[in-house]
Amino acid sequence: MALVSKLPSISSSSPKFRKPNSFKLNPVRSIHCTPNSPSPFTEKHSIERYNRDNWVYKSQLEQPDSCPVAPDPGSIRDHEIAAQLPELKRLLEVLREKRESTGGGERGRGPGNVFLVGTGPGDPELLTVKAVRVIRCADLLLYDRLVSNEVLDLVGPDARLLYVGKTAGYHSRTQEEIHELLLSFAEAGANVVRLKGGDPLVFGRGGEEMDFLQQQGIQVQVIPGITAASGIAAELGIPLTHRGVANSVRFLTGHSRKGGTDPLFVAENAADPDSTLVVYMGLSTLPSLALKLIHHGLPPDTPAAAVERGTTPQQRMVFAELKDLADKITQAQLLSPTLIIIGKVVALSPLWTQSSKEASSLVEAR
Amino acid sequence: MALVNKLPSLSSSSPKFKKPSSFKLNPVRSIHYKSNSPSPFTEKHSIERYKRDNWVYNSQLEQPHSFPVESDSGSIREHEIEAQLPELKRLLEVLREKRESSGGGERGRGPGNVFLVGTGPGDPELLTVKAVRVIRCADLLLYDRLVSNEVLDLVGHDARLLYVGRLLGTIAEPRSVYAFMGISLYEEIHELLLSFAEAGANVVRLKGGDPLVFGRGGEEMDFLQQQGIQVQVIPGITAASGIAAELRIPLTHRGVANSVRFLTGHSRKGGTDPLFVAENAADPDSTLWSVGTPEHTQQRMVFAELKDLPDKITQAQLVSPTLIIVGKVVALSPFWAQSSKEASSLVEVR
């Protein structure tokens, strides 16, 4: 986790942290970044996260002896967590004092507000008006890899950003610490926002976070977001349901509890040529999923599309018939997050015809 | 269809048309409306639509003889259509002249922009930032019953609003006054979009919820694309997401539901097909969302076990728009526990 204040703009024209060479801080340790294809989705070692989290490194500079330069990403994360807690506790105290001094002010004695906010597939314009409002008023925002950098740029200058992505080295006790944190901040009257990519209640594990908080007596408000299926279908011009083509649409996830086989049981029921299938986080299970679908009766030439980083400037798309999809995805080297749409509706996209004319099926729309 | 200008504010403090007594026009004919429970969704004879469409009645005042006062809603609609066309053609001409006079201006010679915009379940705060931007810049907006009045309040002053809600008749073949010419109402709407787009206007087709999930957005896109007009789609919060957030029901949940399926309650022939829904409800690990349309503001909910659901819905007299959610996840909602404690299962949230 990394707790940061949002940095003031570096230059008046560019609030976005996309120009590392204009940044004056020297890195404490070497940060691996990929300047060729900057991800719109925060990656642990991306330059944006470094910039955003730089206050952490600064405080570590002040105490160099407590900070071994370890290249292991797991232990970097642990150190970050250790480094956060004092600062967070200070913040909590500040909020409590503020609350006591304002007395029966606006926030009064009640708990603060905790929101689960869907941030959509990546394009910040696809946030709801309500989401933007809540984000701007938030004191503390928790986010992960699926929240794009541009969305994070919307937070207020005094807000604290906390990265809670799941990476190697993430322990279950840390999950508990996060929940305790949310709780403490809420009780101190803060506006706490848990940002979730897409829609928080569709494969976002939003339910689990709500559960925990509700058990502690904290009411969570959910602000829906444009789920990846909607955002990407709109982008590609693919109607998820269409008269005479698809009378239902089904969302599946490629992830499962045990890590691999569960979605395939769904394949039996999902091999319906009159239904559209949308698979979230399905890159690794796609090859077996495709085979299973075909085995259960879905025509092998069913049109399909795989979209990486949909609705962002880095969007890449692969169009193929179901039987060829896995290969084409591999050739194109698509990465997570990638959404897969399988069904006759895919052929309704103007991009489908375009892709079949080109030698390569990789379409870069932007 | 009814073509209107957005009326300027009646008073500085209240741009919404919710105070009929301050309105000075006299209705041409008696309009039936339900004053007890005003719907946030535009109803054909609601007072809001009357006000929005009042210019029509104005012009009818000028030609009283051409308008028999019939209470049959179908023919009222037909007469409205008749009344719209001249105005629309005038508007089209205005736009064309404007375009020619501005020459190679911003819009140049290319077609205007046509957008299919999802307006979400009803709450205008649930529009995307992009949707709001596009709505504000639109010249012509087509809307139907599933677009809430509050969303319509966002349109610019000079924008034209066109109500294209379904006529009486089946979904498949809405009646049209031009039936004798063999043109269906949908085709008329499409032709209109086309003409305006070619004239360089920003045309927006508003759809409740998300345009590509049971919005028949695909058909409208098809037609326009065949004519060479590119349509841009702006997604919206589909009913399921909006209501899930409201009820705090996760659509998917670890160990409870690993997939979610959206079905329509309508069959191709028109009308609900409960058998279809039931057949598809068989997978216990999937959450089933049967889409009617979403509710807002006057939201009412019925919770029940699947076997009791049809009866409870009838008892509560729920009317369209209604969304049906089937699945174990429903029990995760704090409202589920609340409803089982009450004698009646009808929950009124607001």
Side-chain angles (χ1 to χ4, degrees):
Chain A
M1 294 184 286
L3 175 67
V4 294
S5 283
K6 179 152 165 61
L7 299 176
S9 294
I10 296 162
S11 69
S12 55
S13 61
S14 172
K16 295 192 171 79
F17 303 122
R18 294 207 184 285
K19 297 194 169 94
N21 39 17
S22 63
F23 216 85
K24 296 190 173 65
L25 285 174
N26 291 319
V28 176
R29 66 195 90 156
S30 69
I31 305 281
H32 170 69
C33 68
T34 50
N36 301 337
S37 54
S39 168
F41 296 100
T42 306
E43 285 165 359
K44 193 169 53 182
H45 291 151
S46 70
I47 202 75
E48 286 84 5
R49 260 210 72 225
Y50 163 67
N51 292 341
R52 198 175 287 116
D53 299 349
N54 82 91
W55 77 268
V56 174
Y57 305 125
K58 273 181 99 163
S59 66
Q60 283 166 353
L61 271 171
E62 293 155 19
Q63 303 156 41
D65 49 288
S66 63
C67 191
V69 182
D72 167 22
S75 57
I76 289 174
R77 176 52 46 82
D78 288 345
H79 284 295
E80 286 176 2
I81 290 168
Q84 308 322 317
L85 285 178
E87 176 67 19
L88 276 170
K89 288 177 177 162
R90 281 196 287 274
L91 175 60
L92 204 47
E93 277 314 304
V94 169
L95 282 168
R96 283 179 175 143
E97 284 162 28
K98 208 161 121 189
R99 213 173 142 216
E100 279 158 36
S101 64
T102 51
E106 231 182 83
R107 288 183 189 161
R109 288 211 184 152
N113 295 307
V114 181
F115 297 90
L116 211 54
V117 177
T119 59
D123 178 353
E125 280 214 300
L126 292 184
L127 262 75
T128 59
V129 166
K130 194 169 185 181
V132 173
R133 174 169 66 77
V134 162
I135 287 171
R136 287 196 171 134
C137 300
D139 298 304
L140 175 67
L141 299 102
L142 282 65
Y143 68 102
D144 57 40
R145 194 176 72 96
L146 296 177
V147 178
S148 72
N149 293 342
E150 284 161 305
V151 168
L152 293 173
D153 286 342
L154 296 171
V155 308
D158 297 326
R160 294 293 206 279
L161 281 169
L162 197 76
Y163 183 72
V164 294
K166 296 230 178 311
T167 54
Y170 196 97
H171 305 294
S172 59
R173 77 172 163 78
T174 326
Q175 180 72 35
E176 282 172 26
E177 281 176 33
I178 295 170
H179 287 163
E180 289 294 340
L181 212 71
L182 284 184
L183 195 61
S184 312
F185 272 84
E187 285 172 343
N191 284 334
V192 180
V193 169
R194 172 51 162 128
L195 294 171
K196 289 271 185 193
D199 184 76
L201 299 176
V202 180
F203 299 128
R205 302 184 64 179
E208 289 169 56
E209 306 200 12
M210 280 200 303
D211 268 356
F212 174 85
L213 291 163
Q214 273 159 194
Q215 280 162 25
Q216 310 298 325
I218 302 278
Q219 284 307 331
V220 181
Q221 295 176 62
V222 182
I223 298 175
I226 302 289
T227 188
S230 287
I232 290 170
E235 189 72 27
L236 271 54
I238 295 175
L240 294 175
T241 59
H242 194 75
R243 259 185 126 194
V245 181
N247 58 20
S248 81
V249 54
R250 192 165 195 165
F251 296 174
L252 299 183
T253 176
H255 283 167
S256 71
R257 237 199 267 195
K258 301 171 200 69
T261 55
D262 287 353
L264 303 183
F265 291 121
V266 184
E268 283 178 35
N269 299 319
D272 173 7
D274 294 326
S275 185
T276 304
L277 210 58
V278 181
V279 190
Y280 286 64
M281 312 305 266
L283 281 180
S284 53
T285 52
L286 177 73
S288 24
L289 181 65
L291 286 174
K292 271 238 169 186
L293 288 170
I294 292 171
H295 175 70
H296 285 289
L298 199 58
D301 61 354
T302 301
V307 182
E308 177 197 287
R309 300 177 181 170
T311 76
T312 69
Q314 292 80 15
Q315 176 176 290
R316 299 196 307 150
M317 302 175 283
V318 165
F319 289 88
E321 291 177 351
L322 183 59
K323 59 184 180 352
D324 304 321
L325 186 65
D327 288 340
K328 295 227 157 114
I329 286 175
T330 311
Q331 278 170 32
Q333 296 180 311
L334 292 189
L335 301 169
S336 177
T338 289
L339 188 82
I340 294 165
I341 306 176
I342 299 168
K344 293 181 286 184
V345 290
V346 174
L348 298 175
S349 167
L351 298 170
W352 171 261
T353 352
Q354 182 185 327
S355 75
S356 53
K357 289 180 193 152
E358 292 166 9
S360 148
S361 305
L362 179 64
V363 183
E364 291 183 358
R366 301 182 189 234
Chain B
M1 295 184 284
L3 176 67
V4 294
N5 276 329
K6 179 152 166 64
L7 298 175
S9 296
L10 293 168
S11 69
S12 54
S13 61
S14 171
K16 296 195 172 76
F17 304 124
K18 297 216 185 285
K19 295 193 173 99
S21 48
S22 61
F23 218 83
K24 295 191 176 67
L25 285 173
N26 291 321
V28 176
R29 65 196 91 155
S30 68
I31 305 280
H32 169 69
Y33 67 94
K34 296 178 188 153
S35 50
N36 300 337
S37 54
S39 169
F41 296 100
T42 305
E43 282 166 359
K44 195 165 50 186
H45 291 151
S46 71
I47 201 76
E48 287 84 6
R49 261 211 70 226
Y50 162 69
K51 293 193 177 111
R52 199 174 285 116
D53 301 349
N54 83 89
W55 75 270
V56 174
Y57 302 123
N58 259 323
S59 64
Q60 283 167 356
L61 273 169
E62 292 155 20
Q63 303 158 41
H65 56 281
S66 60
F67 289 96
V69 182
E70 286 178 26
S71 53
D72 168 20
S73 46
S75 51
I76 289 175
R77 175 52 46 81
E78 289 171 9
H79 287 299
E80 285 175 2
I81 291 170
E82 274 185 37
Q84 308 321 315
L85 284 180
E87 177 66 20
L88 274 171
K89 289 176 178 164
R90 281 194 288 272
L91 174 61
L92 205 45
E93 277 315 304
V94 168
L95 282 168
R96 282 177 176 147
E97 285 162 24
K98 211 162 119 186
R99 213 171 143 217
E100 280 159 33
S101 64
S102 58
E106 232 180 81
R107 289 183 189 161
R109 290 217 181 145
N113 294 307
V114 181
F115 296 91
L116 209 55
V117 178
T119 57
D123 178 353
E125 279 214 300
L126 292 184
L127 263 73
T128 60
V129 165
K130 195 169 184 180
V132 173
R133 173 169 66 77
V134 161
I135 287 170
R136 288 196 170 135
C137 301
D139 298 306
L140 173 69
L141 298 102
L142 281 67
Y143 68 103
D144 57 37
R145 196 175 70 97
L146 299 176
V147 178
S148 74
N149 293 340
E150 287 161 300
V151 168
L152 294 173
D153 286 342
L154 295 172
V155 308
H157 284 302
D158 297 326
R160 294 294 206 278
L161 281 169
L162 196 77
Y163 183 73
V164 294
R166 264 190 268 139
L167 287 185
L168 298 176
T170 67
I171 305 168
E173 281 307 318
R175 279 169 48 204
S176 160
V177 68
Y178 296 103
F180 72 95
M181 287 169 69
I183 300 172
S184 77
L185 185 62
Y186 267 108
E187 285 176 22
E188 281 176 47
I189 295 169
H190 295 160
E191 289 290 343
L192 209 71
L193 287 184
L194 193 61
S195 310
F196 273 86
E198 285 172 342
N202 283 333
V203 180
V204 169
R205 172 49 163 135
L206 293 171
K207 288 272 187 193
D210 184 69
L212 298 177
V213 180
F214 299 121
R216 303 187 66 178
E219 289 167 51
E220 305 199 14
M221 280 199 302
D222 266 354
F223 175 83
L224 291 162
Q225 273 158 195
Q226 281 162 27
Q227 311 298 324
I229 302 277
Q230 283 308 329
V231 182
Q232 297 176 61
V233 182
I234 297 175
I237 300 289
T238 190
S241 285
I243 291 182
E246 186 80 29
L247 269 57
R248 278 173 266 149
I249 296 177
L251 276 77
T252 60
H253 195 76
R254 251 180 147 198
V256 180
N258 57 19
S259 81
V260 55
R261 190 168 189 180
F262 297 80
L263 305 181
T264 179
H266 288 130
S267 70
R268 264 192 233 188
K269 305 176 212 64
T272 6
D273 189 351
L275 204 59
F276 175 70
V277 175
E279 277 171 13
N280 286 281
D283 179 1
D285 295 325
S286 182
T287 308
L288 193 75
W289 297 74
S290 177
V291 181
T293 35
E295 296 202 36
H296 175 63
T297 317
Q298 289 85 20
Q299 190 162 272
R300 300 193 303 147
M301 302 181 291
V302 165
F303 287 84
E305 293 181 354
L306 185 59
K307 59 182 179 352
D308 305 321
L309 191 65
D311 288 340
K312 294 231 158 106
I313 289 177
T314 312
Q315 274 171 31
Q317 295 180 313
L318 292 187
V319 296
S320 178
T322 295
L323 183 77
I324 298 172
I325 306 158
V326 178
K328 292 182 285 187
V329 290
V330 175
L332 297 174
S333 168
F335 294 103
W336 172 263
Q338 180 185 329
S339 75
S340 55
K341 288 178 197 152
E342 296 169 4
S344 148
S345 303
L346 179 63
V347 182
E348 296 205 24
V349 181
R350 302 181 192 233

